[in-house]
Amino acid sequence: MDLGIRGRRAIVCAASKGLGRGCAEALAEAGVELVINARGAEALEATAAAIRERHGVAVAAVAGDVTTEAGRAALLAACPDPDILVTNAGGPPPGLWSDWSRDDFIRALDANKLTPIALMQATLPAMMERGWGRVVNITSQAVRAPIPALGLSNAARTGLTGFVAGTARQVAEKGVTINNLLPGIHDTARAEALDAGAAKAGGIAPADARRAREATIPARRYGAPAEFGAACAFLCSIHAGFIIGQNLLIDGGATNLTM
Ligand code: NAP
């Protein structure tokens, strides 16, 4: 299927690895020019070079922390008026509900709620003026069903979801769509770190921790960043203009819901 977005320009945040990279790769395959971001410059440059070589599109790399004002300003300076915005950042640390301080909450809200909101506020006006735009926010399955150890994520990301639900319906008449992708467990560095933590806590091997988590997923495996990226590219395509303010779970069936 031709996604109809060849030559469009996209900002993809937190994209040197994992799900952000999966989205960047899929958009590049569809012919989209990219500005990608991550904190670590070396891995980011390597990813940019690999995507350029594989897909033959322009890829600019802007190293910086997207959860800071300076990081976002650098990203927007490199691409002030993208046609496509994919927001993403690292997830907050796990813990117990009673342990988190106000500062912990502020950090999580900054990273997983206020950062995507600031990027949307900066880029939506030009998209609306041009009459076309696509925003995809990478959130989490925690938005549909809370993950007990990830209370900071549960709290911050549901706030973003509420903002998107209202805003998506205000910009849709200008040809701009905003949707959220809700990952379940995917095969990325974050999943590896969570497996390592579970293995340590349970006194088992990381491979056994992974097998135990895979057994909780109806698909009996972790998702692949490329599969996730393909869903993102579809939501950014010309075919997805009537999909507004939705929350798409990509979790191998792990969240036990009827709808
Ligand atoms: P990952 O494999 O650890 O990759 C994270 C990417 O984001 C890296 O490129 C990292 O590069 C970049 N990054 C992290 N913090 C950043 C920041 N403050 N500013 C700019 N770049 C940043 O993570 P992932 O698994 O793809 O997860 C992506 C998001 O999805 C996270 O919010 C995670 O909580 C959420 N999620 C993931 C899963 C899963 O199973 N993978 C499930 C549910 C939700 P640098 O470190 O160099 O900055």
Side-chain angles (χ1 to χ4, degrees), residues 31-225:
V32 174
E33 295 176 8
L34 301 176
V35 176
I36 61 171
N37 148 269
R39 290 163 305 180
E42 203 176 316
L44 183 67
E45 291 292 351
T47 296
I51 295 177
R52 261 181 233 120
E53 186 167 342
R54 192 166 308 140
H55 303 291
V57 295
V59 185
V62 179
D65 185 339
V66 75
T67 69
T68 65
E69 242 180 88
R72 289 190 294 276
L75 196 49
L76 291 166
C79 186
D81 55 354
D83 302 298
I84 295 168
L85 168 69
V86 180
T87 76
N88 186 27
L96 190 62
W97 63 271
S98 49
D99 291 345
W100 295 308
S101 67
R102 177 179 165 77
D103 284 348
D104 295 324
F105 278 102
I106 297 293
R107 265 192 297 276
L109 291 170
D110 258 340
N112 300 117
K113 176 179 163 183
L114 298 176
T115 288
I117 289 175
L119 289 168
M120 282 187 266
Q121 286 177 323
T123 56
L124 285 172
M127 290 182 191
M128 292 165 74
E129 208 174 299
R130 289 196 300 274
W132 197 92
R134 298 284 185 264
V135 178
V136 173
N137 301 295
I138 299 179
T139 66
S140 171
Q141 64 182 1
V143 164
R144 294 299 306 281
I147 300 172
L150 293 179
L152 291 172
S153 175
N154 300 338
R157 296 186 201 272
T158 48
L160 172 64
T161 306
F163 177 82
V164 166
T167 305
R169 289 165 172 89
Q170 293 172 62
V171 303
E173 68 175 313
K174 300 292 186 187
V176 178
T177 73
I178 314 177
N179 293 288
N180 304 319
L181 284 179
L182 283 51
I185 303 172
H186 281 72
D187 213 348
T188 69
R190 177 160 170 98
E192 249 174 62
L194 289 174
D195 287 343
K200 203 172 161 195
I204 55 173
D208 290 330
R210 176 172 176 141
R211 264 191 290 279
R213 284 216 295 164
E214 281 175 338
T216 67
I217 304 171
R220 300 286 182 259
R221 64 176 179 86
Y222 289 1

Side-chain angles (χ1 to χ4, degrees), residues 16-34:
S16 65
K17 300 175 196 156
L19 303 180
R21 178 171 180 166
C23 295
E25 294 263 7
L27 289 170
E29 193 179 341
V32 174
E33 295 176 8
L34 301 176

